[in-house]
Amino acid sequence: MTNTQVTLVQIDNYGPWTVTPEPRREVDLQTLQSRLYADLSQLVGDRGGYVFFTRFDNMIAVTNGLDMDDHAVIQESVGNRYPVSISLSVATGQSPAAALSDATERLQATGSAQDKSRREILEGRAIESDYRTDEDVHIAHFDVIDATGEYTDQLNAFDSFIEIEQGYAALMKYMRQENDALSFFVGGDNIIATCPELSAAEYEAAIDHVTAVADVDLRVGVGIGTDAHNAGMDAKHALEHARADDTKVEFLR
Amino acid sequence: MTNTQVTLVQIDNYGPWTVTPEPRREVDLQTLQSRLYADLSQLVGDRGGYVFFTRFDNMIAVTNGLDMDDHAVIQESVGNRYPVSISLSVATGQSPAAALSDATERLQATGSAQDKSRREILEGRAIESDYRTDEDVHIAHFDVIDATGEYTDQLNAFDSFIEIEQGYAALMKYMRQENDALSFFVGGDNIIATCPELSAAEYEAAIDHVTAVADVDLRVGVGIGTDAHNAGMDAKHALEHARADDTKVEFLR
Amino acid sequence: MTNTQVTLVQIDNYGPWTVTPEPRREVDLQTLQSRLYADLSQLVGDRGGYVFFTRFDNMIAVTNGLDMDDHAVIQESVGNRYPVSISLSVATGQSPAAALSDATERLQATGSAQDKSRREILEGRAIESDYRTDEDVHIAHFDVIDATGEYTDQLNAFDSFIEIEQGYAALMKYMRQENDALSFFVGGDNIIATCPELSAAEYEAAIDHVTAVADVDLRVGVGIGTDAHNAGMDAKHALEHARADDTKVEFLR
Amino acid sequence: MTNTQVTLVQIDNYGPWTVTPEPRREVDLQTLQSRLYADLSQLVGDRGGYVFFTRFDNMIAVTNGLDMDDHAVIQESVGNRYPVSISLSVATGQSPAAALSDATERLQATGSAQDKSRREILEGRAIESDYRTDEDVHIAHFDVIDATGEYTDQLNAFDSFIEIEQGYAALMKYMRQENDALSFFVGGDNIIATCPELSAAEYEAAIDHVTAVADVDLRVGVGIGTDAHNAGMDAKHALEHARADDTKVEFLR
């Protein structure tokens, strides 16, 4: 049984800021967003968590191992170094989607994402350390079978990207609807999902669905651990095994 | 008539590097990728261009205004500061998709993306300054109508993201197939496309397609200029007009 | 009695790298060095430590609270994201200077800073958690009395800097020779020193020495704590008190 | 005859910001400062200039090749990405010190560095392109003879640093007073100076002075060019020649 702790990271009042007093240079916005994401990756990653860039103005993190004080330090550090501030909402649930719904509702209850006076909210509860187990987090790491040979070295770079993007769009929707899992594109041909406990058959069904809908062939390695980093490293190793043995689903724990 | 100069940026032999000698920590990969993207945004942006993160290991840039020497400096600067190197391939065409196909083929001809000995390729040709015009680049900046009210403040953060992602997946495919345009998600509810010359009716058809297929309502501002920055700033202003007047397509030049 | 844990950070074979195969662009070296320092500040700072840029190729950190595993993760993270690697040597002593001498000797024993085959050394021992006390680290935060009124708003920017630099050069040497303390310029008119237990009179003597030798008037706040961050925040508050009350030496614990 | 264009970069109202509402975490300030410096190095460096970190809150740049519009873009880009803003003042003179004095006075005339209402000042004049020559900038690159063998591999890391720092303190003061040159420590055992036209004898005198006062033996390569980058690369090559031939002063142009 998983017990995923999810944190919603939302840049406060970001949309209005990007066009006030007039639209800001796109390259500066891109730089700001991607560096903020990189910094959060390090700040959360130093404590065993994973952050996903998602929409960049709304990011989703798996934060088992981070207590509310850790969240407060991260919020303060961003406030000290960026022209924008962030709100954080933390929740836990048996499925990642349930946890995120809870976290989102808590944040929405404090005001709109574009409410000028709603700043640096820190809401929710982290799992107390006594209640943590070594099965709390399940991470599934997907990639595209022979992406380089099939796409990167064959199609033009955008058409390769279309294939991967359609595969991702299909997988993220299926995994959310069927499994209450949250799936994130992380670059290259890689997708990382935070999942509840799922069987090999359920992973196979997801892969088959993507092949059917988007004609993209995926493979997955699954890891289980106390936090995203532990589970994620096992997932990477499982994926290496799947690649070596030419299998579609591999577990490691 | 547009004359878009497109640069394909490819990290050399990146996939193998990420798992050699064993899989590297995901947070470090995420940090590396997003910072490299931020740096390229600045390096290319300083000279009037736009870079899109695309797959992160393969990025696509609109580089009108950058000559081959500029590209060489950028390549050298990345090589001096990162553990990975990049290859660059530059081409021009009446449509962005044609330009990118040309650039991709030139790079593929030098070897595979995962060829160990293929490093720091610099291929292609930039537009000579005498041939540049103030209509070379068309940028279309899309966003989702009332994304905050409809999604961010209503749904959980992942379900909002699913909506935006499905809208993007539909738009990117349609614009590529119908218009030879390249469309990129740039964060929040924003998509930026580099386009050939298109009529208002053609933009409307794209928006209608996305509504029909993904049930997401878009709006677009279009700008025309000598380079991505000029055209892009006009597109942003056009989008502000569309928002203020509650219209779906606005041009500014 | 202090028990300062000091880590020497040395970029491996950096000098030769900067000129191989020919001299690299200075702006890239500056960017690389200052970002590496920024990243180390965050990585060490997340765990309660302070890093000082010192010579940039050799940095000195106060790392009470970081065990050897923490050091290993930091070393790995740098190796994953930079074109250069770092060696780390950790030691403890009643005076910071003694600890640093020990750490330096351990690293020198493994080979020269410019030895090609000496890479990613991780040497030394961290304090076991049972032996940590809340008096282990003493931080002294100095600044120049009325630096803005006396220098920044009066002299040209380099002549202001000369004054501050001469003040720093005098203080760093005195504190090392008389007190076995290590003092670091940290920007503006600020100098932060990691010290053994010193009396108010000893701090006054240091301030008087700098006035006599360099004609620069300093003030100092001193904090004591389990780690650099705790002690350093107290030192900052003590310095605010000194500023408010126009005194020269203030302690807080 | 040199015609150095110097830009003074000053963070607006920085001192008060660092302690408002209470002192900010030192590691965040260090990260902010060093990243701002890195970004300015890239922004100015992309256009052929050099920035020196100096005090971090006041930085000095050699900006031949950058016009006032370039300065405006840099100022805007920093404002878009940092919680602090910068003021820029540009001046030219036959000696770097004269240029900097002029730039400083212009900025001081607009208000104090700690004046809340003085923000994002952009003052001064850049050299018009018709008046630029290929002898405008002289860069001298100093390093310490056998620093690794004499210091890094022998002394403890702080005592090595004391030697280099005392050498720098002596050189910066001498070069300013005798030659109206501005000298900056740039990491390792390297000092880069922007100089008026000086003879080999004058450089030798500076080196002799540092040996006499601080017992540190320096060597220097000198380059001459249209901008800091051109002159600086020649200076680096000249320094390599000096190292190879065991000479103390080498020119290249």
Side-chain angles (χ1 to χ4, degrees), chain C residues 94-215:
Chain C
Q94 288 185 16
S95 83
L100 180 65
S101 288
D102 188 0
T104 307
E105 277 165 26
R106 281 170 186 273
L107 187 56
Q108 286 166 344
T110 66
S112 166
Q114 298 194 353
D115 181 339
K116 266 188 192 181
S117 58
R118 201 219 68 186
R119 269 177 59 87
E120 298 200 326
I121 303 297
L122 178 59
E123 276 290 332
R125 284 183 62 174
I127 305 171
E128 290 185 39
S129 43
D130 290 354
Y131 291 85
R132 297 181 61 199
T133 76
D134 57 5
E135 303 193 346
D136 282 353
V137 181
H138 288 219
I139 294 286
H141 195 134
F142 295 84
D143 74 2
V144 175
I145 296 176
D146 196 21
T148 303
E150 290 279 326
Y151 302 116
T152 315
D153 290 347
Q154 295 297 330
L155 302 181
N156 86 39
F158 195 81
D159 292 343
S160 296
F161 180 50
I162 289 178
E163 297 296 324
I164 287 166
E165 186 68 22
Q166 304 297 317
Y168 172 53
L171 182 70
M172 76 179 305
K173 196 169 176 178
Y174 178 91
M175 290 292 284
R176 166 70 180 94
Q177 293 178 342
E178 301 299 317
N179 299 317
D180 284 336
L182 309 178
S183 309
F184 302 92
F185 177 64
V186 292
D189 60 336
N190 296 268
I191 297 162
I192 292 180
T194 175
C195 301
E197 188 170 351
L198 298 177
S199 65
E202 286 168 306
Y203 282 111
E204 267 164 42
I207 289 173
D208 290 346
H209 173 79
V210 174
T211 301
V213 168
D215 197 24

Side-chain angles (χ1 to χ4, degrees), chain A residues 193-209:
Chain A
T194 173
C195 301
E197 187 170 350
L198 298 177
S199 65
E202 286 168 308
Y203 283 111
E204 267 164 39
I207 289 172
D208 290 346
H209 173 79

Side-chain angles (χ1 to χ4, degrees), chain B residues 25 40 48 54 61 69 93 105 115 122 133 152 154 176 203 208 216-218 221 225:
Chain B
R25 296 169 74 226
L40 288 170
T54 327
D69 285 347
E105 278 165 25
D115 182 339
L122 178 58
T133 78
T152 315
Q154 294 297 329
R176 166 70 181 92
Y203 282 112
D208 290 346
V216 172
D217 296 321
L218 300 174

Side-chain angles (χ1 to χ4, degrees), chain A:
Chain A
M1 205 182 77
T2 64
N3 194 25
T4 316
Q5 179 178 306
V6 171
T7 301
L8 172 59
V9 181
Q10 192 170 84
I11 305 181
D12 297 318
N13 200 27
Y14 184 59
W17 182 85
T18 64
V19 292
T20 303
E22 53 180 331
R24 295 176 194 256
R25 296 170 73 228
E26 188 62 31
V27 295
D28 289 341
L29 299 179
Q30 293 300 312
T31 305
L32 170 67
Q33 292 171 9
S34 49
R35 288 194 179 162
L36 175 55
Y37 168 62
D39 276 346
L40 288 170
S41 279
Q42 289 293 312
L43 287 165
V44 170
D46 277 347
R47 297 162 170 94
Y50 271 12
V51 187
F52 301 101
F53 56 79
T54 327
R55 291 169 49 184
F56 286 101
D57 60 347
N58 285 266
M59 291 176 262
I60 295 170
V62 177
T63 55
N64 294 64
L66 284 80
D67 62 22
M68 296 308 288
D69 285 346
D70 292 326
H71 282 83
V73 167
I74 291 171
Q75 187 176 54
E76 179 188 344
S77 184
V78 169
N80 279 341
R81 296 187 282 129
Y82 284 89
V84 293
S85 60
I86 56 172
S87 287
L88 300 174
S89 181
V90 185
T92 308
Q94 288 184 17
S95 82
L100 182 64
S101 288
D102 188 1
T104 307
E105 279 165 25
R106 282 171 186 273
L107 188 56
Q108 287 166 344
T110 66
S112 166
Q114 298 194 355
D115 181 340
K116 265 190 191 180
S117 57
R118 202 217 68 185
R119 269 177 58 86
E120 298 199 327
I121 303 296
L122 179 58
E123 276 290 331
R125 283 183 62 173
I127 305 170
E128 290 184 40
S129 43
D130 289 354
Y131 291 86
R132 298 181 60 200
T133 77
D134 57 5
E135 303 192 347
D136 282 351
V137 181
H138 287 220
I139 294 285
H141 194 134
F142 295 85
D143 74 2
V144 176
I145 296 175
D146 196 21
T148 302
E150 290 279 326
Y151 303 116
T152 315
D153 289 347
Q154 294 298 328
L155 303 180
N156 86 38
F158 196 81
D159 293 342
S160 296
F161 180 49
I162 288 179
E163 296 297 323
I164 286 166
E165 186 68 22
Q166 304 295 319
Y168 172 53
L171 182 70
M172 75 178 306
K173 197 169 175 177
Y174 179 91
M175 290 292 283
R176 165 71 181 92
Q177 292 177 342
E178 300 301 318
N179 299 318
D180 284 338
L182 310 179
S183 309
F184 303 92
F185 177 65
V186 294
D189 59 340
N190 296 268
I191 298 164
I192 293 180
T194 173
C195 301
E197 187 170 350
L198 298 177
S199 65
E202 286 168 308
Y203 283 111
E204 267 164 39
I207 289 172
D208 290 346
H209 173 79
V210 174
T211 301
V213 169
D215 197 27
V216 172
D217 295 322
L218 299 175
R219 186 165 42 201
V220 67
V222 184
I224 298 167
T226 48
D227 61 28
H229 171 69
N230 294 144
M233 285 307 291
D234 277 359
K236 283 170 178 273
H237 281 107
L239 187 63
E240 292 293 288
H241 297 168
R243 197 174 288 151
D245 301 347
D246 198 18
T247 54
K248 290 214 164 175
V249 183
E250 289 289 339
F251 283 79
L252 196 79
R253 54 179 303 165

